[in-house]
Amino acid sequence: MKIFRDFKEIIDFAIESEMDEIQFYSELAETMERKNVKDLLRSIALEKTARMLQLENMKDIGVLLDIESVHDLKIAGTFSDIDYTKTNLSYQEVLIMAMNKEKEKFILYQELADCTTDTNCKQTFLSLANQEARQKLKLEIEYDEFILHDN
């Protein structure tokens, strides 16, 4: 695990991570044929862009104030691995992949929060984890409405 010397390094790390995910979701959206899948992935990329800008602003502020619990439907944790090398993923596969990606990011931020003793850093990472949980919940709701109800 990377060792951070100060709060700015933590925020820079979080910004870089969000930028990677913006690129991931944007590129994945371009490979999708279905408009609703493209729109969903582009929406996630836009949300991550907003989060990245929020992180940029935090360099001066020092802490996120948004720490509230988010409900987890626990849908993403019930799936097997998906072959992400396929060029034409189904809507179900895209949703599962995105849910798993958000879950991984949530775990990363939780672990980073556990690794710091600085209260501001801990609060920031818990807030970032919470935002990832919200995004995962949005994907789980989408999955519940369009995949589970159709079966």
Side-chain angles (χ1 to χ4, degrees):
M1 166 105 22
K2 181 175 172 59
I3 297 174
F4 301 100
R5 292 178 294 203
D6 59 29
F7 187 75
K8 184 184 176 301
E9 282 187 9
I10 293 170
I11 298 304
D12 287 341
F13 174 80
I15 290 169
E16 184 177 322
S17 180
E18 293 298 333
M19 288 173 60
D20 290 344
E21 286 195 356
I22 292 166
Q23 181 177 354
F24 170 80
Y25 283 112
S26 297
E27 288 175 359
L28 185 60
E30 294 309 311
T31 66
M32 297 292 107
E33 293 178 11
R34 293 176 57 182
K35 183 181 180 332
N36 62 327
V37 177
K38 279 184 189 257
D39 291 346
L40 175 65
L41 297 173
R42 287 177 179 155
S43 171
I44 291 171
L46 283 174
E47 288 177 19
K48 293 197 174 286
T49 302
R51 187 173 305 135
M52 184 190 69
L53 294 173
Q54 180 185 17
L55 287 164
E56 283 287 345
N57 291 333
M58 282 182 50
K59 286 183 183 181
D60 295 329
I61 297 169
V63 68
L64 288 173
L65 302 173
D66 183 25
I67 298 189
E68 60 186 59
S69 111
V70 173
H71 190 60
D72 183 356
L73 298 180
K74 299 183 190 312
I75 291 176
T78 63
F79 299 109
S80 60
D81 291 330
I82 303 239
D83 178 8
Y84 299 128
T85 61
K86 288 176 35 179
T87 56
N88 192 17
L89 295 168
S90 71
Y91 189 47
Q92 180 177 7
E93 290 170 323
V94 167
L95 288 174
I96 292 169
M97 181 171 56
M99 286 186 289
N100 286 331
K101 188 125 182 104
E102 297 308 307
K103 180 180 178 181
E104 289 171 8
K105 192 77 172 287
F106 170 82
I107 291 168
L108 169 69
Y109 285 137
Q110 287 280 36
E111 288 175 354
L112 288 170
D114 290 342
C115 291
T116 184
T117 57
D118 181 85
T119 304
N120 286 344
C121 293
K122 185 177 289 292
Q123 186 177 19
T124 298
F125 279 125
L126 290 174
S127 181
L128 291 169
N130 209 26
Q131 291 177 39
E132 297 296 337
R134 276 192 212 99
Q135 211 153 30
K136 180 175 161 276
L137 178 61
K138 182 192 299 185
L139 292 161
E140 288 178 332
I141 290 168
E142 180 82 5
Y143 189 92
D144 183 53
E145 289 178 7
F146 293 101
I147 304 298
L148 294 180
H149 283 132
D150 288 345
N151 291 329

